Amino acid sequence: FRAPSRAPAASLHPFSPCESAMAPESEDEAKEPEALKAKKKKKKKRRKSTESRDETSAVPHLPPASTCRKDIVGQSSMARSSSCPAIGSTSSAQKSKSKGARAKEAIKAASSLQQLVPLTPLGAMMTALKHRKLRVAVFNACRSWYHVHPGAASCMVSLTETPWFYSKAVAKFLHARPTRDGSSGTPVSLLPPVEAFMIQAEDLQSGRVCLADGDRAGFDVLVFPGGSTERDLNALGPQGCEAVRKFVESGGGYCGVCAGAFVGLHLRLLEADRRRAESEADIEPTKKAERDAFMVRACFTKVGRRLLWSEGRSHKKEHEESKDGSVRVRYHNGPLLQVPKASPAKVLCRMTPTTESQLSAPAALNGSAAVVMQNFGNGRALIISPHPESTKDDLAPEPGKIRLRRILQRAVLLAAAGNEKLRWIETECHRPGP
């Protein structure tokens, strides 16, 4: 056996354990590991600082325990503050615990102090959120689901893309603070307190549109926009019409605009009669006289101004309101209503022609009811003859002035308030929120 000859040092692999690899390092090579160690120490310090920040931000902060009420517990507030340290502070024992354990202890401490610590404005707003958002079904007269009727589109824009007046009723449905309207300074909410969905006649006929009850998925209000009354009734059929009546009678709300108001009258949801001139006496009740759109003056009653229009400002600060308290709204062949004295229905607004539309307006329009509301069974129906959701100066059937769109918003809230569980909305829909 002959021993292998040793290869020269220059031919060995640089990572092999040879004598050349174990040679003493130069001064520059010895300094490099020390610089890397310093960088690693700095990175560890940064990680620890960011983790501590995340922990303190994840822990819910409450007001100081020294501000606790003395009338809840017999002890003094100073004694309570000593027994209840600040949640954001960390002691030596807490530092050794993990992030999850400290977060759990903070949540327990917050729940134990909830009855002792007075609520801040934000805390009061969060605890008042006991109601889910209202679910609104907007009827789409088009047969195919990918085509949207202009009237339904205007209602959807008014309910979902228009700022809402931030009232006490709206505040109970939202988690957001109000903002100020730039022109009037009114507290408004950019988030809607409702969830609006498009439905068709097939949904009503098949029974898919049901009343929301507790956590059960359903709807609170049905909205029938303007369009053609004859087409809507033909699309619904007897089965769809009966489904709408049962929905309102069982506790749902109904809000009809123009043609939707005719549908509500046809379904006998309200006890109101049509005012017709002698020239219109031969027209069938389900049809209407064809005229071009024109402006009318909507004059609210005392109750109607409070429920549909008032936002806590005088009429001098309302840009869309004239000196006599009337509001210009677009009218396009809506029903001309009169309420008998024995009827339980309430007139919330009346309309008269403007100086420009006196020649084109029918005689029966002067003083006719523009908005009528009545309870039906366990629910409520509210019908609107003009078009507050699509009032523009050029009379185009498109989403109109923002201030007038809020009339439809309040009408939906009032329709939902017919249900006994939501009756509180009627008393708080006009009061500014917290």
Side-chain angles (χ1 to χ4, degrees), residues 175-373:
H175 297 262
R177 288 183 177 272
T179 58
R180 292 287 176 180
D181 189 3
S183 59
S184 60
T186 307
V188 295
S189 172
L190 301 180
L191 296 177
V194 301
E195 296 177 349
F197 303 89
M198 288 278 193
I199 63 169
Q200 292 179 311
E202 298 177 357
D203 300 323
L204 290 165
Q205 295 169 356
S206 61
R208 288 193 290 265
V209 179
C210 58
L211 181 66
D213 186 8
D215 297 333
R216 188 184 70 176
F219 297 96
D220 299 290
V221 181
L222 289 178
V223 176
F224 273 69
S228 174
T229 308
E230 187 176 2
R231 291 179 182 177
D232 292 349
L233 293 176
N234 291 335
L236 289 173
Q239 191 174 359
C241 293
E242 186 63 23
V244 175
R245 281 181 58 87
K246 288 183 179 180
F247 176 84
V248 181
E249 191 174 8
S250 60
Y254 179 90
C255 182
V257 180
C258 194
F262 278 105
V263 174
L265 293 174
H266 178 78
L267 298 179
R268 301 185 302 277
L269 301 178
L270 302 94
E271 296 182 12
D273 301 329
R274 289 184 58 191
R275 297 177 64 180
R276 290 180 291 176
E278 294 180 357
S279 60
E280 300 177 4
D282 56 343
I283 299 178
E284 297 180 8
T286 57
K287 295 184 179 180
K288 54 189 177 182
E290 296 295 336
R291 303 184 189 88
D292 294 332
F294 55 86
M295 288 289 187
V296 297
R297 294 167 59 249
C299 303
F300 295 98
T301 62
K302 186 177 180 180
V303 178
R305 175 173 292 274
R306 174 172 56 87
L307 296 178
L308 290 173
W309 182 256
S310 176
E311 293 183 351
R313 301 190 307 273
S314 62
H315 66 88
K316 296 181 180 179
K317 296 183 179 180
E318 289 284 359
H319 302 291
E320 301 297 334
E321 187 176 351
S322 59
K323 294 181 179 180
D324 59 353
S326 62
V327 181
R328 291 170 58 89
V329 187
R330 186 176 74 93
Y331 171 82
H332 196 188
N333 302 324
L336 305 178
L337 304 172
Q338 62 179 3
V339 179
K341 294 182 179 180
S343 174
K346 295 181 181 180
V347 178
L348 303 182
C349 182
R350 297 186 180 275
M351 58 183 175
T352 57
T354 60
T355 55
E356 299 86 0
S357 61
Q358 285 182 353
L359 297 177
S360 58
L365 185 141
N366 192 6
S368 64
V371 182
V372 182
M373 180 179 68

